[in-house]
Amino acid sequence: MLQLTKRTEYGMLALVHMLDRDGEYVSVREICERYPLPKRTVAEVLKDLARNGVVESQRGAGGGYTLARSPDEITLGHVVSALEGAPALTSCESALVLKNGGCEVQPSCPIRSPIHRVRERLWQMLEHTTLRSLVASGGHVPLHTAAASAPHAP
Amino acid sequence: MLQLTKRTEYGMLALVHMLDRDGEYVSVREICERYPLPKRTVAEVLKDLARNGVVESQRGAGGGYTLARSPDEITLGHVVSALEGAPALTSCESALVLKNGGCEVQPSCPIRSPIHRVRERLWQMLEHTTLRSLVASGGHVPLHTAAASAPHAP
DNA sequence: GCAATTAGCACAAATTAGATGCGCTTTGAG
DNA sequence: CTCAAAGCGCATCTAATTTGTGCTAATTGC
Ligand code: SF4
Ligand code: SF4
């Protein structure tokens, strides 16, 4: 299906929150207090992002995750790539099919190369969608502003 | 996942074959003789394409399917839309989630609107990829030429 | 009449994604 | 030094989605 996974969504939300908390380490708990997401799954997602160098982790009390790079350098492409693997529009581009001997049609496939080009462009779109451009273009209200109406403020 | 379904692939292959057989009715059997695809599933796919007006069907002996419109008017977008439903990058755009009460995050979602724009552009890409542009830009060898036992294009 | 071929609907099998269980390691606070 | 907060790793279970079949009916040309 032509749809992002929930994991990717969780990842983006987490990253946005980290951007709000500029530079500080934020815990999974904190993220899930802000957004109603399944804690454990978000934790798995963050781990994957850490493994892929999108975020940095700090263990122990007071630890958590923080952006490993500038919000201008982190792109939707990085997140998708880290959480779903490189996008492969056709089956023959996905590693899964290759293990099963590959596609039977491939030798005479008329759509393969053209669809590769489509994927190429899609990929470029994702790579050009930076984390900053996300928050900049949306109706996003930064944390402290929102927290003004919230009961607790550290 | 950011990937086209096999059904979409089957559909595109079938359409390309129909384009080759310009105007004639081609049966599912014939398509599966040309490409090694699961016959019954391809049949289901073609039925869906017919319901959505992408191809025309003719029942009975000598019947089959043929393009319902010009190859310039049939797009990847049509096929995807007919076989996978309109692409919904985020969960909140998909009808499935709406039935379950929608997304909890939505009221304060910072990524919703920006990602909608990404989907918009993706959708445009698909709509601008016509069937003709597919065969025109690939290394596709039309049917009769290939049947003339030419292992390589000149 | 008969064989070829699509239509319709349901269902089982396979694959993928989502969510948890559980124990271990690290680290700052007290 | 102790302890609670956090992350790490891996296995596993469940739910959702996709893919492939079964079966029967309706058409159509010869
Ligand atoms: S070779 Fe063609 S048919 Fe086979 S997976 Fe690739 S695109 Fe699809
Ligand atoms: S509202 Fe935000 S979090 Fe919820 S589904 Fe839409 S994009 Fe994802």
Side-chain angles (χ1 to χ4, degrees):
Chain A
M1 221 195 329
L2 220 34
Q3 183 173 333
L4 297 172
T5 63
K6 287 187 184 174
R7 282 166 50 92
T8 299
E9 244 175 66
Y10 298 164
M12 295 305 292
L13 288 171
L15 290 175
V16 168
H17 184 62
M18 286 180 215
L19 177 50
D20 280 347
R21 296 291 311 278
D22 184 46
E24 298 180 69
Y25 281 97
V26 302
S27 66
V28 172
R29 179 186 48 73
E30 182 183 319
I31 292 172
C32 293
E33 276 167 6
R34 174 142 191 222
Y35 301 112
L37 305 177
K39 187 173 169 184
R40 288 292 309 282
T41 304
V42 171
E44 294 296 323
V45 167
L46 270 293
K47 276 189 271 189
D48 281 345
L49 287 179
R51 288 194 192 100
N52 284 272
V54 176
V55 297
E56 251 172 35
S57 67
Q58 171 63 49
R59 304 220 277 192
Y65 296 94
T66 193
L67 300 182
R69 284 174 275 174
S70 138
D72 294 307
E73 294 173 314
I74 297 178
T75 70
L76 228 192
H78 293 144
V79 180
V80 169
S81 173
L83 300 177
E84 312 184 11
L89 284 189
T90 58
S91 333
C92 52
E93 306 185 277
S94 110
L96 300 166
V97 167
L98 295 178
K99 288 177 186 171
N100 302 332
C103 174
E104 306 273 332
V105 179
Q106 187 157 330
S108 67
C109 180
I111 65 175
R112 190 165 181 238
S113 145
I115 289 195
H116 279 208
R117 268 195 289 282
V118 172
R119 188 220 44 211
E120 210 64 37
R121 286 204 285 161
L122 163 60
W123 190 230
Q124 280 175 19
M125 273 180 49
L126 298 182
E127 280 181 324
H128 288 150
T129 306
T130 68
L131 178 55
R132 192 187 297 286
S133 78
L134 274 193
V135 305
S137 63
H140 178 49
V141 181
L143 182 58
H144 24 284
T145 311
S149 54
H152 52 68
Chain B
M1 221 196 327
L2 220 35
Q3 181 173 333
L4 297 172
T5 63
K6 289 189 184 175
R7 281 166 51 92
T8 299
E9 245 175 64
Y10 298 165
M12 295 306 291
L13 287 172
L15 289 174
V16 167
H17 184 62
M18 286 180 215
L19 176 51
D20 280 346
R21 297 291 311 276
D22 183 47
E24 298 180 68
Y25 281 98
V26 300
S27 66
V28 172
R29 179 186 49 73
E30 182 182 319
I31 293 171
C32 293
E33 275 168 7
R34 174 139 191 224
Y35 301 113
L37 306 176
K39 188 173 170 184
R40 286 293 309 282
T41 303
V42 170
E44 293 297 322
V45 167
L46 270 293
K47 275 189 268 189
D48 282 346
L49 288 179
R51 288 194 193 100
N52 283 272
V54 176
V55 298
E56 253 171 32
S57 67
Q58 172 63 49
R59 303 220 274 194
Y65 296 94
T66 193
L67 300 182
R69 284 174 274 175
S70 139
D72 295 306
E73 293 173 313
I74 297 178
T75 70
L76 227 192
H78 292 144
V79 180
V80 169
S81 172
L83 300 178
E84 313 184 12
L89 282 189
T90 58
S91 332
C92 52
E93 306 185 279
S94 107
L96 299 165
V97 167
L98 295 178
K99 288 178 184 169
N100 302 332
C103 173
E104 306 273 333
V105 179
Q106 187 156 331
S108 66
C109 180
I111 66 175
R112 189 165 181 239
S113 145
I115 290 196
H116 279 207
R117 269 194 290 281
V118 172
R119 188 222 42 214
E120 211 64 39
R121 285 204 285 161
L122 163 60
W123 190 231
Q124 280 175 19
M125 274 179 47
L126 297 182
E127 280 182 323
H128 288 150
T129 305
T130 68
L131 177 55
R132 192 186 297 286
S133 78
L134 274 192
V135 303
S137 63
H140 178 48
V141 180
L143 183 57
H144 22 285
T145 311
S149 82
H152 53 9

